[in-house]
Amino acid sequence: MGRVDAGVQHRDLTARIVEAKDFTGGGSAQDGHGHGTHVASTIAGSGAASDGLRKGVAPGAKLRVGKVLNDRGAGYVSEIIAGMEWAAHSGAKVINMSLGGNPTDGTDPMSQALNDLTASTGALFVVAAGNSGADYTVGAPGAATAALTVGAVDRDDQLADFSSRGPRLGNNGLKPEITAPGVGIVAARSAGTSMGTPVGDAYTAASGTSMAAPHVAGAAAILAQEHPDWPAGKLKDALVSTTKATAGLTVFEQGAGRVDVPRALTQRVYGSATVDFNRVVPGAGPVERTVTYTNGTGVPQTLRLAIELRKLDSGADEPDGVSVVGDGEVTVPAGGSVAVPLRADPEKVDRGLYGGWLVATGADGVTVRTAVGFTVGRRLHAVTIRALDMAGERGAAAVMLHGEDPESDVMGDLYWDWKVYVEEGPYLVNALIEHGGPLHDQLTVVTDPELMIDRDLTLVLDPRKGVPVRIETPKPTEQRGGHTVYEHRVFGNGRQVDHGVMTFGNIQQLNVTPTRQVSQGEFEFASRWQLTAPMVDARISGLSGPQRINLLGQSPAPAGRRKLPLVWGGTGTPGELTRARGAAVVLTANPDVSEHDQVAAAAEAGAAAVVMVRPADFNAWTIWRPDGDRLPIPAMVMANDDGQPVISAARTGRETLDLTLTVNSPYLYDVFQVSQGRVPERIVHTVTAENTAEVTASYGDTGGLDWANEQRFGWRPWQEYSWFDSQRLVRTGTTRQEFVSAGDNWWQHRVLHKLSGQWGGGLAGGLTDQPRRYTADDRETETWYAPIVRPAVPAVGGAPIPTRTGDTLDLRVAEFVDADGHYGLAGSGEEADAVEALLSRDGRPVADLSGGWAPVSTTAAAARYRLDLTTGRSSEDWRWATRTETAWEFTSARPAGDGAQPLPLLQVDYQVPADLRGEVSGKGGHQLGLALRQPTGVPAPKGTSLRVEVSFDSGATWRSVPVHGDGTRYTALVPAGKGAVSLRVHAADRAGNVVDQTVIDAYGLR
C-alpha cells in the first residue's frame, strides 16, 4: 500500500546476560556502549572505583554481555532476537534486557521468541517495562507472557512517572509483574560517555525502567545460585510472590510489588506469580485458574487466603468477582506444593477491567502475594471481512476496526477473506483501498463510524461506493506531496480513537464512502491539503484539457510559456530523433538505457524538451528539487495509461505542446476539509474569503542556494500536534500569497533558510512562530529572516522567556530571532552553530550553559547577574549576522510565591529598511529603527538611554552615530557606506537593566 506506517523503535540499551555460575568471583562488562556498563554495574558492579561503596545487586555475578543495539540505542528485531538466542543457548540462567519496542499484545516476533526460548532453555528473561508513563504501554519483548517485566519506583517505592503501565495492549494481560528502584540509580560510567548525571569520574546517575530491570536480574541471579535447578518459572514465582506492595498503586502499575531480595531468599514459601483470567464473558459460566503454593521449609505451613480485587475504572472494591474455591485456608506440607483453585464469575460484576492480589499469610510473618487480573467483556461475534476491487472482484485493503475498548481493536492487511472475533458493540471501520491506473493512482477510504456488531456478519469493503473529495480554489492548483486523511471518533463510553494516514505522491485522487450520522458520541472525517500552482501546465493541441505530467527531479525549469512542436522519438535512438530539433520529443522507456541518458540523447539531437511515457508497471511520481546536477533540457514523465493519447498525438507530427513550468508557485493553499458527524454524499470544500485567512509571506535570502524549505504544520483541535505534514520548497527573495483555512484548526509555520537534507517528514531547525488559529478576517503580512537576526527574547506570546522560580533561574533565550519575532534555537535540526553562554553573579562565574540551557540554582538574596551569549555561524548559507555578542545585566532576588517570574532582560528590536536579500542602499545613508522592551510579564522600561555604533569593516573599527528618540522608540542615522553594516548597541533603563549587543555584518549595503 502507498502509505506511511509507523515503524517500531527499540529503545534504551544493549542486552545484558547474567550467568548464574560462580557468584564468588568478580565480574565486568565492556561493550563499547556507555549504558552497557551502567546496567552491568547495577547487576554485578564490584564498586572498585568507589572503594566498595557502590556495588551492584549481585556483586559476585559472572556476566556475559551481548551488544544488540547501536551506539544510538537502536537496532533491528532480528538482531535483538539473535542476541536473545545467543544468550539463552550460552547457558545463562538470567538474561537482562534493558530495552524495548512499541507496545504489543505479546504476539510480536520478539515476545514469541522470548516465550519459546524460555520454554526450551529454562532461562529467565528480565525485561524493562518501558518509559512511556501511561496505561497500555508495556513494550515488546516485555509484553511476553514468560518475561519477568519490571516497572520503576523511587526511593519511597512510589511509581516513577515515566514507568510504563499495563494492562498489556490488545488482551489486557497482566503486566508488569514486579517493580524495582529505577530513579536516580548510580552506576558505572564508561569513559567518554555523558548519559545521565555524572557522579564523580567513574559513575553516573540515571533513571528509567532500564535501570530498574537490572535490580531484578541481580536478585534473580542470587536466587538462582541458591536454587541452581530452578527453571525460569520458579525463579519468577519466588521473586514476584515475595514482593513488598505499595499502597495506592494498582496491579497494572506495580504487579505484585517491589522486589524484596531478603524475603525471596529467606521466606522459602512461594506462590504463583500471577493469575491472569484474561477475558471472561457473561453467559459462558465461571472460569477457574490455579494458584500453586510451594513450601521449601521443613515444617507444614498453614496459609490464610484473601482476595483484594478492584475495578480499575472506578477504584471500587469487588470482592465477589474472584473467589477462592474452598474455605480460604490451605496447609502446604513441608517440602511440598498445593494447588488452590480460583474462580472468576462474570455474572457477579459489571463489565470492565479488574485487578488485585490473592494474599496468603502464615505464621512468623510469611506473606505470599499473587497478582490477579481479569476482564469482563461482551459476547464475541465472528466478523468476516472481505474487500472488493473496482470490478467487484476480490481485492486488497488495509483494514482497521476500533471498538469501544482497545482490546477489541483489529488491524491488518487483507488479501482474502479474514475472519475475526470481536466483542459486540459499535465500531469505527477504516479501510484503505488503492486502485485505478498504474500502481494505484486513486485511494478510497471505506469507512463506517458506527458499525453495530450484534451478531455474526460479513463486512464487505466496496470502493465503488466512494465519492471524490474535491477542493475548489480560486486559482488553478495541484496537490503538492501526498494526501493526508484523518478520522476522529469518540464512542458513547468516552473512548477516543484518532487515526491518520498519509499517502505517497502517486495517489492522484482521494475518495471516501458516505456514512450515516453517528447516533452516539463524536465523529469527524478530515483531509489535509497543500495546493500550489501546477508545476507542469501542459496542453496538447488535439487533446482536451491539461495533461497529467510530472517534472523529473533534476530537470531545469525555465520560466515563461513555450509553444513547441510535438514529435515522436520512440526510445530515443539517433534514427528516431531526426525530427527532434526545437521540438518537444515524446519517448518511451528503453530497458537498456536510463531516463537521464535518453534525455541527454534527445538534447544532443537538438530537442527543446522531453516527455517520457513510463512503462505500465511504473508510476509517474517524481520529486523535483532545485539542487544537484541538472539535466540538459526540461524533462517530464507521464504514467503509461495517461501517455497513450500523447503518443498518438506525437505520431501525427501535427500537434503542439503549450508548456508552462512553475516550480516556485506564487500562491499556496493550506486547507483543512472537515466533515462533522458523518461523511456526506458529496464532499466539495470551496476556498472562499469567508472560510480562509490570507497571509502575504516573504522569504529572505540569507546566502547560498536561493531555495529554502518551509512547512506549515496543521492539526485539528483533538490532535496534540501535527501528523504527516510535508516539507515544501520556496525560492528565497520572493513573496507568496498563502491562503490558510480559518476556524478551529491549529497552525504553526516553520522556515529553514536553506534546503533540508530530506524531502519528507517534519522540518527541524530554522525559525518558527507560535501555534495559532486564524479567522476569516485575518489579512496578515510576515517576513522570514528579515534583519537583524540575533539572540533575543521574542515578543510573540508563548515564546521562551527567562524566568526565576524560587532560587532557580531558567535563562533560556532564543539564539536566533528575526525582525518579525520568528525564533529558533542554535544547533537544532541540521544546523551546527557555535554558542557560548556564561552566567555570573556579582562578578563571579556561576554557570557555563554553552552545552544547552538548563536550570541554575542561585542564592535568595538580591544580586547582580550578567548573562553573556555569543553565537557564530560559518555556513555558506548564512550571509548576515555571522557573529553576535550579547550581554544582559539585571538584579534579581527570590520572588514572592511559588510561580515562575519573568526576568528583566532588556531587549532591543530593530527595524531595517532592507530588501529580501537583507540589503539597504549604501548611498546617502539610511535610518535604523530601534525599540526597547522587556519580556512579556515585565513592566515596560522607563528612563531609558541608547547608544549606537556602526562598523563597515566587520567590527575592525567603530563610529558612533546620531540617535533620536526617547522612551522605548529610537531612530539611528546610519551614514553612507559599502559592504555590510555591523552594529554595537548599548541600552539601559532607570531600574538598572542593561543590554550590550554586537552583531557583525548585521545587514548588507548595495
Side-chain angles (χ1 to χ4, degrees):
M1 302 289 290
R3 65 184 192 278
V4 174
D5 294 316
V8 177
Q9 293 182 340
H10 305 292
R11 54 189 184 273
D12 270 339
L13 318 174
T14 56
R16 314 293 151 199
I17 299 106
V18 177
E19 187 178 32
K21 302 177 181 177
D22 186 16
F23 289 105
T24 59
S28 64
Q30 294 184 1
D31 67 345
H33 188 278
H35 213 147
T37 303
H38 303 337
V39 175
S41 69
T42 305
I43 297 171
S46 63
S50 62
D51 295 326
L53 175 64
R54 305 189 188 283
K55 294 183 179 180
V57 176
K62 183 177 179 181
L63 300 179
R64 295 182 182 180
V65 179
K67 183 176 174 67
V68 298
L69 304 181
N70 62 26
D71 288 346
R72 298 184 305 276
Y76 291 103
V77 169
S78 58
E79 295 171 336
I80 298 170
I81 293 175
M84 294 164 62
E85 292 172 341
W86 166 76
H89 293 304
S90 71
K93 292 286 291 184
V94 182
I95 301 171
N96 185 79
M97 296 187 69
S98 284
L99 57 77
N102 290 338
T104 77
D105 61 359
T107 62
D108 61 277
M110 277 201 298
S111 297
Q112 290 185 23
L114 189 152
N115 290 334
D116 293 343
L117 288 168
T118 300
S120 62
T121 68
L124 175 64
F125 285 84
V126 180
V127 186
N131 299 331
S132 297
D135 298 342
Y136 294 98
T137 60
V138 173
T145 300
L148 177 48
T149 307
V150 187
V153 293
D154 61 18
R155 295 177 183 273
D156 298 320
D157 286 345
Q158 295 301 311
L159 192 71
D161 56 2
F162 56 78
S163 187
S164 287
R165 300 97 196 265
R168 183 167 58 190
L169 185 70
N171 55 27
N172 282 359
L174 212 165
K175 288 287 175 177
E177 293 92 349
I178 200 168
T179 61
V183 178
I185 305 303
V186 176
R189 175 164 59 97
S190 294
T193 63
S194 58
M195 197 210 79
T197 302
V199 180
D201 295 333
Y203 292 90
T204 192
S207 299
T209 56
S210 294
M211 303 304 283
H215 283 83
V216 177
I222 295 173
L223 195 60
Q225 182 183 22
E226 185 79 8
H227 304 281
D229 59 330
W230 279 12
K234 284 193 174 182
L235 294 173
K236 181 176 178 178
D237 286 347
L239 287 168
V240 173
S241 67
T242 57
T243 52
K244 177 185 177 183
T246 298
L249 298 181
T250 72
V251 71
F252 295 108
E253 294 171 326
Q254 65 175 327
R258 191 257 295 151
V259 64
D260 188 338
V261 180
R263 182 181 288 274
L265 285 172
T266 61
Q267 180 167 281
R268 309 184 76 83
V269 180
Y270 316 114
S272 300
T274 62
V275 173
D276 202 345
F277 286 94
N278 292 316
R279 178 181 301 278
V280 291
V281 179
V287 179
E288 289 194 358
R289 298 285 189 268
T290 297
V291 176
T292 299
Y293 291 101
T294 299
N295 178 11
T297 72
V299 297
Q301 296 285 335
T302 298
L303 303 176
R304 295 176 299 279
L305 308 178
I307 292 286
E308 300 174 4
L309 191 68
R310 191 164 297 167
K311 194 171 190 288
L312 271 296
D313 60 357
S314 66
D317 292 334
E318 295 285 356
D320 296 334
V322 174
S323 58
V324 177
V325 178
D327 58 8
E329 186 173 283
V330 63
T331 297
V332 187
S337 298
V338 171
V340 175
L342 290 187
R343 179 176 295 153
D345 191 344
E347 303 293 348
K348 294 185 177 181
V349 289
D350 294 331
R351 181 175 184 266
L353 179 64
Y354 296 81
W357 303 271
L358 171 62
V359 182
T361 55
D364 301 322
V366 168
T367 301
V368 182
R369 298 176 58 81
T370 296
V372 178
F374 78 104
T375 300
V376 178
R378 293 172 175 159
R379 289 177 173 81
L380 298 180
H381 297 288
V383 178
T384 301
I385 307 174
R386 178 179 302 151
L388 303 180
D389 61 17
M390 295 301 287
E393 302 296 330
R394 296 290 175 90
V399 184
M400 285 145 281
L401 269 69
H402 294 279
E404 287 188 320
D405 292 288
E407 62 267 24
S408 300
D409 294 349
V410 173
M411 59 190 68
D413 290 331
L414 173 65
Y415 300 99
W416 49 81
D417 284 5
W418 184 21
K419 180 178 287 188
V420 296
Y421 292 88
V422 297
E423 283 190 335
E424 64 182 26
Y427 283 79
L428 166 65
V429 178
N430 179 284
L432 309 175
I433 299 178
E434 292 179 341
H435 54 86
L439 288 192
H440 318 294
D441 66 358
Q442 292 196 39
L443 174 71
T444 294
V445 179
V446 180
T447 189
D448 186 341
E450 203 166 38
L451 173 68
M452 185 59 65
I453 298 178
D454 53 9
R455 64 192 185 284
D456 293 353
L457 56 84
T458 297
L459 172 62
V460 179
L461 308 172
D462 190 348
R464 297 172 298 175
K465 296 180 179 179
V467 298
V469 180
R470 304 288 188 194
I471 309 297
E472 295 183 348
T473 56
K475 301 177 182 180
T477 58
E478 67 180 7
Q479 173 74 347
R480 191 61 54 92
H483 294 82
T484 305
V485 178
Y486 304 97
E487 285 190 282
H488 164 71
R489 178 74 167 105
V490 178
F491 289 95
N493 69 346
R495 189 202 176 188
Q496 180 171 322
V497 175
D498 300 324
H499 179 255
V501 173
M502 179 181 182
T503 70
F504 293 115
N506 61 296
I507 300 298
Q508 298 174 343
Q509 175 62 52
L510 172 66
N511 311 296
V512 63
T513 54
T515 73
R516 301 180 302 277
Q517 183 81 17
V518 295
S519 62
Q520 290 187 325
E522 303 172 9
F523 173 68
E524 175 181 294
F525 171 83
S527 56
R528 170 81 168 91
W529 300 77
Q530 303 178 105
L531 301 160
T532 64
M535 188 173 285
V536 178
D537 184 356
R539 300 170 189 270
I540 297 173
S541 59
L543 301 180
S544 61
Q547 304 301 302
R548 296 199 297 189
I549 303 179
N550 293 328
L551 196 61
L552 269 178
Q554 276 69 52
S555 173
R561 179 179 174 183
R562 306 171 72 189
K563 194 168 186 178
L564 303 170
L566 188 72
V567 302
W568 171 241
T571 60
T573 63
E576 295 172 306
L577 293 172
T578 56
R579 300 177 60 199
R581 183 163 301 278
V585 180
V586 179
L587 301 176
T588 57
N590 183 338
D592 299 322
V593 180
S594 70
E595 285 182 341
H596 285 196
D597 287 343
Q598 288 180 283
V599 173
E604 188 174 351
V610 166
V611 178
M612 182 76 62
V613 178
R614 283 182 164 169
D617 59 349
F618 196 63
N619 70 42
W621 179 34
T622 62
I623 302 172
W624 184 85
R625 285 183 64 94
D627 56 341
D629 296 334
R630 314 313 293 170
L631 292 168
I633 56 176
M636 297 151 282
V637 295
M638 299 186 71
N640 190 270
D641 54 350
D642 293 334
Q644 296 310 308
V646 176
I647 291 174
S648 298
R651 286 182 183 276
T652 69
R654 298 187 302 271
E655 308 300 343
T656 58
L657 170 65
D658 193 342
L659 178 66
T660 302
L661 301 179
T662 307
V663 292
N664 186 53
S665 176
Y667 51 87
L668 165 74
Y669 295 90
D670 273 317
V671 174
F672 255 120
Q673 169 271 319
V674 179
S675 299
Q676 299 276 7
R678 64 186 291 260
V679 177
E681 284 74 19
R682 183 173 180 267
I683 302 179
V684 178
H685 177 96
T686 303
V687 175
T688 66
E690 287 69 37
N691 61 19
T692 306
E694 183 175 347
V695 179
T696 303
S698 298
Y699 297 90
D701 183 351
T702 64
L705 187 69
D706 59 345
W707 285 89
N709 276 101
E710 59 83 28
Q711 189 168 12
R712 182 172 278 114
F713 298 90
W715 62 100
R716 298 289 299 140
W718 44 266
Q719 293 175 276
E720 295 181 6
Y721 49 84
S722 169
W723 306 346
F724 302 142
D725 279 326
S726 300
Q727 298 181 29
R728 304 174 299 209
L729 292 169
V730 64
R731 190 187 293 273
T732 59
T734 64
T735 298
R736 185 169 68 187
Q737 295 302 115
E738 300 179 353
F739 304 91
V740 187
S741 287
D744 60 352
N745 310 295
W746 283 98
W747 302 98
Q748 184 175 25
H749 204 179
R750 179 179 290 274
V751 180
L752 182 64
H753 62 279
K754 61 180 184 179
L755 291 181
S756 71
Q758 56 183 4
W759 67 268
L763 184 64
L767 302 183
T768 188
D769 58 11
Q770 280 296 297
R772 60 163 300 173
R773 289 171 167 171
Y774 290 93
T775 69
D777 294 331
D778 288 334
R779 299 292 181 269
E780 301 187 359
T781 300
E782 62 181 24
T783 301
W784 292 85
Y785 293 96
I788 298 171
V789 179
R790 80 290 180 197
V793 178
V796 296
I801 295 177
T803 61
R804 176 168 182 160
T805 305
D807 292 335
T808 299
L809 302 175
D810 188 346
L811 293 167
R812 65 188 65 224
V813 174
E815 291 90 350
F816 304 110
V817 180
D818 70 11
D820 271 15
H822 307 122
Y823 63 92
L825 303 178
S828 62
E830 301 172 15
E831 302 297 285
D833 308 304
V835 175
E836 183 181 77
L838 303 172
L839 178 68
S840 61
R841 180 179 61 234
D842 292 333
R844 297 182 179 181
V846 174
D848 185 342
L849 301 171
S850 304
W853 298 108
V856 178
S857 298
T858 188
T859 56
R864 189 69 174 168
Y865 293 89
R866 178 184 172 105
L867 175 63
D868 286 276
L869 178 58
T870 302
T871 70
R873 297 198 189 231
S874 59
S875 167
E876 64 178 9
D877 296 299
W878 200 254
R879 179 188 296 121
W880 310 125
T882 54
R883 179 176 173 82
T884 71
E885 296 176 0
T886 309
W888 287 279
E889 296 182 36
F890 59 96
T891 300
S892 177
R894 178 190 293 170
D898 299 330
Q901 298 295 320
L903 292 169
L905 272 68
L906 188 62
Q907 301 296 308
V908 183
D909 292 334
Y910 304 90
Q911 290 285 325
V912 182
D915 59 20
L916 290 181
R917 284 181 51 84
E919 295 176 335
V920 178
S921 173
K923 301 176 182 179
H926 61 276
Q927 292 187 348
L928 171 67
L930 302 100
L932 302 183
R933 61 176 173 84
Q934 284 285 3
T936 302
V938 179
K942 296 181 179 180
T944 62
S945 62
L946 180 68
R947 183 172 68 248
V948 178
E949 297 172 272
V950 300
S951 170
F952 297 109
D953 54 11
S954 299
T957 60
W958 295 91
R959 70 176 80 171
S960 296
V961 299
V963 176
H964 304 287
D966 56 24
T968 60
R969 295 193 173 276
Y970 294 84
T971 300
L973 302 178
V974 181
K978 295 180 180 180
V981 177
S982 297
L983 288 176
R984 190 157 67 184
V985 175
H986 172 87
D989 65 10
R990 186 181 299 146
N993 303 304
V994 177
V995 60
D996 289 281
Q997 188 161 66
T998 300
V999 183
I1000 301 301
D1001 295 342
Y1003 56 93
L1005 296 173
R1006 61 178 186 272

